[in-house]
Amino acid sequence: MSRLPLPEQSIGAPIAGTVLSEVSYEDEKVEVQPSGSGVVVRISPILDDEPIVTRRELWSYYLYYNGDNGVGPLGYAMTLFQSLAVAAGYDPVKGPGSDCSAPDASGQCVVPWAGGSKSVNSAVLVANGASFAIMTLLFTTVGSVADYGTFGRWLLLVFTVLCWCAQFASMSLYKPDRWGLAMALYMIGFITYGATLVFYAAIFPRLARNTAHARNLRERYEHGEISLEEYEKEESMEKNRISNISTAHSNIGYIVTLALNLTILLPKAGDPKVNNYVIVLTNGYWVILGIWWFVFQQTRPGPPLPKGEHYATIGWKQIWMAVKQWRQLPYTFIYLVAFFLLADGFNTTGTLVYLCQNDRFQFSFLQNTYLGLAQAVASTTSTFGFWYIQRYWKIPTKKMFAVTNVVTILIPLWGMVGIWSSKFGFRNVWEFWAYNVISGLFQAPYYAFSQTMMAELTPPGFDNMFFGLFGLSNRASSLIGPNVVQAIIDSSEGNNWKGFPFLFALCTAACLVLWFGVDVQKGRRDAIVWAAKYRSRGQAQAHVSGLAEPESHKEQ
């Protein structure tokens, strides 16, 4: 078995009824004796000296996500890249030198590519696919390293600064012949933005375990004042609270950013560099709000890197160790695989609709800003609304997530209509308005609940490692979708709508697996057992002797 220590110490009250037979620590075997109906394993772990989350720290966490809302690296950067590529491209029907935007253009547009040509939309999808491949390597290599020492906080800072630099560098992108540079900067911004989301999200389970409310719940459970089921339900609600509020802040930031951008887009509508100014303003907003997290974040370091291990290889070793033990974490890995497919379909669907939207509105930053505002208002409202419904009726995370997944399936289904109809299926202006509103209402909570589901199924103390895999499933999952869809578009002479059937099938299959194949309660307990099993030798020796149920729980 792995000799790598668990990055967090496990303390707290026990869970009865789990099965843990034997734990190997280096050359010794530590027997974990059963108590009562099963082996006693500790619940959500924390270090005794971990600081309680302060109001200032929590608000700086929210504000970081308020600025890191994706308007620049996801929306405007892609639109700028696509518009420059179209300006530099030509109509393949008329040949090189023709204008893709001419009144009598065929509607197709290609750019020179590897000795031949490729449609602009396919080039965008290739850029996304390459970015996802790089993120795959990134998350698997450095994801686990973030669980050791203070490496995680520096990792988030480095990726944040790199994303900021890529966005500010977009001021140089105002000539069509720079579309290649626009593609490179878009990819850098997209990759680093995806990395910030992953390592930002990996922080929240530890924050949720260290709020004053979570600490109080732990004490009440240890003293026998509440049952295990009530403790798990309330701890889950605390995770949902932080996840939903942070997601709402991202959408609030989206609204504020887009509203600020109108102060440039409207008065400077005729300026050839107006789009560049907008990206710089968007990025400046993130800098102003995001910097405070690195100032007020309290130190909660993991252990030092194990002797003989290296930062470049430990991530792969830990992932291999976890994969070999997948039978002990069946629901965690089923969720990761199913979410891989769902996120692939979800992300690629969003990209494909955005490509159709840009074609319909001729890459207008102003129109995209209006549509984005509609989506952001709907997103903010729905995130708080879903959280209120969940909190009031104590609805489990999985059921809330399933509701959002229904719309994830319906969007590519509607896009399929455009294959056979020229009047419906993302063909009209009103359809893109409807898409942005509906997307905001259901797919913003999708992010919050998918993140909370991952937190529920993550072995405590391995947060960065498993959120790195989650990031692989989420951001880096689209190795399949963009490549398949761009191949479909190329083979159908640039017909974007031909990609929707594949995405509909992908999303539907993933949702069925998530609903029927993932048991969150069992998965949560499996994760705690697995984390306890791979504690370091010193942690095991310190706690094995204390693995006993509180007297108050024995009486229940």
Side-chain angles (χ1 to χ4, degrees):
M1 293 184 183
S2 172
R3 299 179 183 180
L4 302 178
L6 176 67
E8 267 187 286
Q9 180 177 2
S10 294
I11 66 170
I15 289 179
T18 55
V19 178
L20 180 60
S21 57
E22 187 176 83
V23 186
S24 175
Y25 297 96
E26 297 188 358
D27 298 325
E28 297 185 14
K29 290 183 178 179
V30 181
E31 299 292 341
V32 182
Q33 300 296 335
S35 174
S37 61
V39 175
V40 179
V41 180
R42 305 282 180 168
I43 58 173
S44 52
I46 58 171
L47 287 171
D48 289 331
D49 58 351
E50 280 192 6
I52 294 178
V53 177
T54 64
R55 184 179 181 84
R56 184 170 59 180
E57 181 183 22
L58 190 58
W59 270 96
S60 67
Y61 181 77
Y62 293 150
L63 288 177
Y64 178 91
Y65 207 18
N66 190 301
D68 190 14
N69 51 58
V71 172
L74 280 188
Y76 289 154
M78 177 176 157
T79 300
L80 185 60
F81 161 38
Q82 191 180 358
S83 64
L84 289 178
V86 168
Y90 62 90
D91 188 334
V93 175
K94 296 186 176 183
S98 58
D99 187 352
C100 292
S101 302
D104 58 344
S106 67
Q108 302 178 52
C109 189
V110 298
V111 289
W113 189 277
S117 64
K118 182 175 286 292
S119 74
V120 171
N121 288 347
S122 290
V124 174
L125 290 169
V126 167
N128 281 355
S131 298
F132 290 132
I134 294 171
M135 279 191 270
T136 299
L137 179 64
L138 190 66
F139 297 154
T140 51
T141 301
V142 303
S144 297
V145 181
D147 287 317
Y148 293 94
T150 58
F151 192 80
R153 68 186 299 170
W154 293 110
L155 205 59
L156 180 60
L157 176 62
V158 168
F159 284 126
T160 300
V161 172
L162 286 175
C163 192
W164 289 345
C165 291
Q167 296 297 289
F168 282 132
S170 66
M171 273 304 300
S172 63
L173 305 175
Y174 54 89
K175 295 181 179 179
D177 61 0
R178 295 183 180 178
W179 73 269
L181 177 60
M183 179 177 178
L185 289 176
Y186 165 68
M187 289 177 63
I188 293 171
F190 188 50
I191 291 165
T192 52
Y193 168 72
T196 63
L197 293 184
V198 168
F199 294 110
Y200 170 87
I203 296 169
F204 107 86
R206 183 170 291 189
L207 285 180
R209 292 194 295 267
N210 284 283
T211 63
H213 179 60
R215 291 287 187 91
N216 180 57
L217 283 173
R218 175 188 302 276
E219 291 178 2
R220 292 177 61 196
Y221 173 69
E222 290 177 339
H223 288 89
E225 297 176 11
I226 58 176
S227 66
L228 172 60
E229 288 72 21
E230 186 177 355
Y231 172 83
E232 289 181 331
K233 182 182 293 185
E234 289 299 323
E235 188 187 47
S236 177
M237 288 295 113
E238 184 71 352
K239 291 175 183 175
N240 274 288
R241 180 179 73 89
I242 294 177
S243 181
N244 277 283
I245 293 176
S246 64
T247 300
H249 267 280
S250 177
N251 289 301
I252 291 170
Y254 203 91
I255 295 172
V256 174
T257 301
L258 293 176
L260 285 174
N261 290 340
L262 291 176
T263 64
I264 294 179
L265 286 169
L266 293 175
K268 290 186 172 292
D271 192 318
K273 292 185 178 180
V274 63
N275 295 340
N276 308 80
Y277 296 144
V278 166
I279 293 179
V280 170
L281 176 61
T282 298
N283 199 49
Y285 178 82
W286 181 11
V287 173
I288 293 171
L289 268 67
I291 195 67
W292 300 109
W293 169 246
F294 303 104
V295 175
F296 296 125
Q297 179 186 10
Q298 297 187 85
T299 302
R300 298 182 182 88
L305 196 70
K307 188 176 181 180
E309 297 295 342
H310 193 276
Y311 284 112
T313 57
I314 192 172
W316 289 94
K317 287 182 179 180
Q318 284 202 332
I319 290 171
W320 177 241
M321 176 265 290
V323 170
K324 287 194 300 183
Q325 301 294 324
W326 70 270
R327 288 183 179 85
Q328 299 177 29
L329 295 169
Y331 300 112
T332 300
F333 280 97
I334 290 173
Y335 178 72
L336 285 170
V337 171
F339 191 73
F340 179 96
L341 299 175
L342 180 63
D344 195 351
F346 174 84
N347 292 334
T348 310
T349 298
T351 301
L352 191 55
V353 173
Y354 205 72
L355 290 173
C356 296
Q357 180 175 300
N358 280 336
D359 287 341
R360 184 67 181 80
F361 292 104
Q362 299 180 332
F363 316 105
S364 170
F365 268 43
L366 183 59
Q367 286 296 329
N368 283 336
T369 298
Y370 288 142
L371 291 167
L373 277 170
Q375 183 179 117
V377 171
S379 297
T380 305
T381 304
S382 68
T383 302
F384 283 121
F386 270 76
W387 166 232
Y388 175 81
I389 292 170
Q390 182 187 26
R391 183 179 59 180
Y392 186 83
W393 279 285
K394 304 292 184 182
I395 302 174
T397 306
K398 180 181 174 180
K399 290 183 179 180
M400 300 297 291
F401 189 38
V403 172
T404 67
N405 289 342
V406 172
V407 176
T408 302
I409 295 172
L410 292 178
I411 290 174
L413 179 63
W414 182 255
M416 289 170 57
V417 176
I419 297 175
W420 304 286
S421 172
S422 60
K423 295 183 178 180
F424 301 103
F426 298 119
R427 298 285 188 176
N428 306 290
V429 171
W430 68 265
E431 288 178 291
F432 292 105
W433 280 98
Y435 162 76
N436 279 276
V437 172
I438 294 172
S439 175
L441 288 174
F442 289 93
Q443 294 187 17
Y446 159 97
Y447 285 112
F449 293 127
S450 66
Q451 180 176 278
T452 305
M453 282 273 287
M454 188 67 247
E456 298 275 30
L457 298 168
T458 294
F462 287 87
D463 300 315
N464 282 283
M465 172 183 167
F466 277 88
F467 267 87
L469 293 175
F470 180 62
L472 178 65
S473 295
N474 187 14
R475 292 292 161 188
S477 65
S478 297
L479 294 169
I480 303 172
N483 291 303
V484 172
V485 171
Q486 69 92 14
I488 293 172
I489 291 174
D490 283 346
S491 65
S492 60
E493 299 181 347
N495 188 333
N496 293 337
W497 288 264
K498 288 292 183 71
F500 284 115
F502 169 74
L503 297 172
F504 169 72
L506 195 63
C507 291
T508 301
C511 288
L512 291 174
V513 174
L514 284 169
W515 181 254
F516 293 106
V518 179
D519 187 317
V520 176
Q521 184 179 53
K522 291 181 180 178
R524 183 193 302 117
R525 297 184 182 184
D526 286 344
I528 294 173
V529 171
W530 189 88
K533 186 173 182 179
Y534 288 95
R535 283 194 299 252
S536 68
R537 177 183 179 183
Q539 290 168 335
Q541 290 176 338
H543 293 290
V544 166
S545 61
L547 291 175
E549 283 188 284
E551 292 299 320
S552 53
H553 281 279
K554 288 181 180 180
E555 296 172 359
Q556 291 180 359

